[in-house]
Amino acid sequence: SAVISQKPSRDICQRGTSLTIQCQVDSQVTMMFWYRQQPGQSLTLIATANQGSEATYESGFVIDKFPISRPNLTFSTLTVSNMSPEDSSIYLCSVEDQSEVQNTEAFFGQGTRLTVV
Amino acid sequence: DAKTTQPNSMESNEEEPVHLPCNHSTISGTDYIHWYRQLPSQGPEYVIHGLTSNVNNRMASLAIAEDRKSSTLILHRATLRDAAVYYCILRYSRYSGGGADGLTFGKGTHLIIQP
């Protein structure tokens, strides 16, 4: 199993500013992902954080708005840039160790609850 | 991605079994069936997954139809702590050469447990 620490757990930010969310895992993992959960909705994948290279973004998400870093196998950051009230959501980090060939389980952090005012 | 269909909500009584259905009529031969649940104010947690055969673990059982077009998550004895949103997700096997994509969540089933 993997234990994920996400910081901050919540924040209230002014529109036009940026917030960087950190995701720290207690063990090395091959895959790290970032998700968004808008109020009352299900989770939507934002991007896959790739170690040492640019993240792979899903349709509807762009690097300028959600820059992602992954400097090593245990840490990643997601920045929400130039925020607007529509960015108010819970942002979740997820990890998987896919060193095994069969399907594996994903582990999720507790999430960062962001409110933009 | 192959799609899943789940009831929006279900209600059950505490200490009774719960059967959560999922339809996935367009499933491919290399898709695994995964179940996750999200307790209030928490990130999702893994419950169980399977390919063709029924699966059991300490949390639940997964019954997969012979044609694989549907599956049922079984909680043998529900407790209040099992109240959550349950997601049925299809994921292709890495054997098929698929990459390590993230999970595609549908709306899930909101399970309500009555004391």
Side-chain angles (χ1 to χ4, degrees):
Chain A
S1 65
V3 177
I4 301 170
S5 172
Q6 251 187 265
K7 292 180 181 180
S9 59
R10 59 177 62 227
D11 207 341
I12 301 173
C13 300
Q14 296 291 323
R15 67 179 67 199
T17 62
S18 298
L19 176 71
T20 295
I21 302 167
Q22 298 181 358
C23 177
Q24 178 74 55
V25 193
D26 68 342
S27 59
Q28 292 186 343
V29 292
T30 51
M31 305 303 300
M32 296 183 81
F33 305 94
W34 287 97
Y35 291 82
R36 179 177 73 181
Q37 188 167 28
Q38 294 176 301
Q41 303 295 314
S42 183
L43 283 79
T44 301
L45 179 65
I46 296 173
T48 302
N50 300 310
Q51 189 206 357
S53 66
E54 195 171 285
T56 304
Y57 289 84
E58 297 299 305
S59 176
F61 297 96
V62 295
I63 187 172
D64 290 345
K65 177 67 175 176
F66 298 102
I68 289 171
S69 78
R70 188 177 174 192
N72 56 50
L73 293 176
T74 64
F75 186 78
S76 177
T77 66
L78 167 74
T79 299
V80 186
S81 303
N82 188 24
M83 288 183 284
S84 67
E86 291 71 36
D87 294 319
S88 298
S89 295
I90 299 172
Y91 292 86
L92 298 108
C93 171
S94 173
V95 305
E96 294 185 45
D97 185 6
Q98 298 196 346
S99 57
E100 297 181 11
V101 293
Q102 60 182 332
N103 267 224
T104 58
E105 62 184 276
F107 298 93
F108 288 80
Q110 293 294 305
T112 295
R113 183 179 295 270
L114 171 62
T115 302
V116 183
V117 297
Chain B
D1 288 337
K3 197 173 175 180
T4 63
T5 304
Q6 299 178 253
N8 289 334
S9 66
M10 290 184 63
E11 199 167 310
S12 182
N13 295 320
E14 198 176 9
E15 298 191 2
E16 289 185 356
V18 179
H19 291 235
L20 296 164
C22 180
N23 287 321
H24 29 78
S25 58
T26 60
I27 190 171
S28 76
T30 54
D31 284 337
Y32 277 78
I33 303 159
H34 287 244
W35 284 81
Y36 283 77
R37 71 179 185 182
Q38 187 173 23
L39 302 172
S41 300
Q42 295 192 25
E45 65 175 346
Y46 168 83
V47 178
I48 200 166
H49 77 277
L51 183 62
T52 55
S53 304
N54 295 344
V55 184
N56 300 296
N57 66 20
R58 64 175 179 80
M59 287 182 70
S61 296
L62 176 59
I64 302 173
E66 198 167 329
D67 63 4
R68 299 209 329 125
K69 293 186 177 182
S70 66
S71 60
T72 303
L73 179 70
I74 303 166
L75 306 179
H76 294 286
R77 207 170 163 197
T79 69
L80 295 177
R81 196 194 170 278
D82 292 319
V85 179
Y86 287 77
Y87 298 100
C88 171
I89 299 169
L90 300 183
R91 200 172 198 194
Y92 56 74
S93 167
R94 294 185 70 226
Y95 279 117
S96 68
D101 287 354
L103 298 168
T104 301
F105 286 83
K107 296 185 185 300
T109 296
H110 184 200
L111 177 63
I112 300 165
I113 305 295
Q114 298 288 355

